[in-house]
Amino acid sequence: MIDVNVSLSRWPFRRLPHDEPSALVAALRRQGATQAWAGSFDGVLHRDVAAVNLRLAADCREHGEGFLIPFGTVNPTLPDWPDDVRRCHEEHRMPGVRLHPGYHGYRLDDPRFAAVLDEAAGRSLLVQVAVAMEDPRTQHPLVRVPRVDLGPLSSLVEKRPALRIVLLNMLVPPSTDEFKALFRTGRVWADSAMMEGVAALERFVADFGADRLLVGSHAPFFCPDASPLKLQESELKEADRAAVVEGNARALLPPA
């Protein structure tokens, strides 16, 4: 199993089980993960993004060489963001970047977001967009962050044939034409972290296709045990299950 959505460091508002890298890696391995794509909780609020990404790369090497795959933070509201993309690609050899539009204060129709997409696509970097990080009901009263409006994304993707985007922590809406068009581009994927309810993965596959879905635990914010349980209770064809569990992620991130 490849887990495309984990985070290192500390969630700024409370301690979490497994928020030490070694403990997180051990918990993920117990659940059958063979690889985990890791961002950093520090990237949500820290302004020194270069330092965040340096620590992330070092922690991935120290605690999970070949297992933890670092995805650096990029914040396009900060002046040196192109250099952060360059460092992620050239210095840290990261295969992709992770964006937090909600916490960094921009919409997806912001020209700065489009500029990040162009820079990432030009470097063949995978782009992860965190649609949310936690339920609004549990957010600190001074830090209320709404879910990211994905409305503008379809047109941005359609104009950029080299772009590949993974939506993290996406609550799947009813099967609207808007979201069908988004996934029909063939360049957008979603992870399973916040897909809840009976047969949640089964319903997503029926609406959007097994080739659009990836396993994501959002660990350590969520318990790593949830991912295999979701797979267990959703009745997927064997080929679909294999694609969701590993195949789709392998195709997005082939071995170096």
Side-chain angles (χ1 to χ4, degrees):
M1 183 174 69
I2 295 178
D3 189 335
V4 305
N5 180 10
V6 307
S7 298
L8 303 189
S9 195
R10 303 274 175 81
W11 181 242
F13 303 105
R14 68 178 185 273
R15 288 300 303 269
L16 301 167
H18 312 306
D19 65 5
E20 295 291 346
S22 57
L24 177 62
V25 168
L28 292 168
R29 288 189 187 278
R30 283 195 298 272
Q31 298 308 320
T34 56
Q35 190 179 90
W37 302 357
S40 174
F41 282 142
D42 292 347
V44 173
L45 296 180
H46 289 209
R47 291 183 62 82
D48 187 353
V49 171
V52 169
N53 293 334
L54 182 64
R55 290 194 299 274
L56 173 65
D59 285 342
C60 286
R61 286 193 303 271
E62 179 180 355
H63 299 283
E65 183 76 43
F67 179 83
L68 292 174
I69 309 299
F71 276 67
T73 297
V74 175
N75 182 351
T77 69
L78 300 177
D80 288 337
W81 71 262
D83 205 39
D84 291 322
V85 177
R86 181 194 64 78
R87 287 193 185 97
C88 288
H89 182 216
E90 298 177 10
E91 296 181 15
H92 304 312
R93 303 298 181 185
M94 296 175 177
V97 295
R98 188 171 291 185
L99 308 180
H100 295 277
Y103 283 85
H104 293 163
Y106 60 91
R107 292 167 47 86
L108 299 195
D109 56 5
D110 190 312
R112 295 172 294 185
F113 176 66
V116 173
L117 299 184
D118 288 334
E119 184 71 18
R123 294 176 176 271
S124 298
L125 294 173
L126 186 61
V127 177
Q128 294 189 322
V129 177
V131 180
M133 291 297 285
E134 68 175 315
D135 190 307
R137 294 170 295 181
T138 66
Q139 291 176 358
H140 190 284
L142 296 181
V143 186
R144 298 291 191 187
V145 182
R147 301 185 69 81
V148 175
D149 177 9
L150 297 174
L153 192 56
S154 289
S155 62
L156 291 167
V157 174
E158 288 169 358
K159 296 173 184 175
R160 294 165 173 82
L163 181 65
R164 297 166 304 146
I165 289 183
V166 175
L167 301 174
L168 304 180
N169 305 329
M170 176 183 171
L171 276 173
V172 180
S175 182
T176 62
D177 290 340
E178 176 187 4
F179 279 93
K180 283 185 176 179
L182 181 61
F183 289 109
R184 201 159 44 230
T185 63
R187 298 190 296 277
V188 179
W189 293 259
D191 88 319
S192 61
M194 289 192 180
M195 295 182 186
E196 303 295 344
V198 176
L201 307 191
E202 190 178 336
R203 286 184 280 111
F204 181 96
V205 167
D207 286 341
F208 304 110
D211 60 336
R212 298 298 101 197
L213 183 59
L214 306 164
V215 171
S217 66
H218 193 25
F221 194 94
F222 289 164
C223 176
D225 299 9
S227 290
L229 289 174
K230 289 179 184 179
L231 288 163
Q232 180 179 327
E233 65 88 30
S234 287
E235 294 185 4
L236 299 177
K237 296 177 182 177
E238 192 56 39
D240 290 346
R241 179 186 172 84
V244 171
V245 168
E246 186 177 27
N248 295 336
R250 290 282 181 211
L252 274 172
L253 210 64

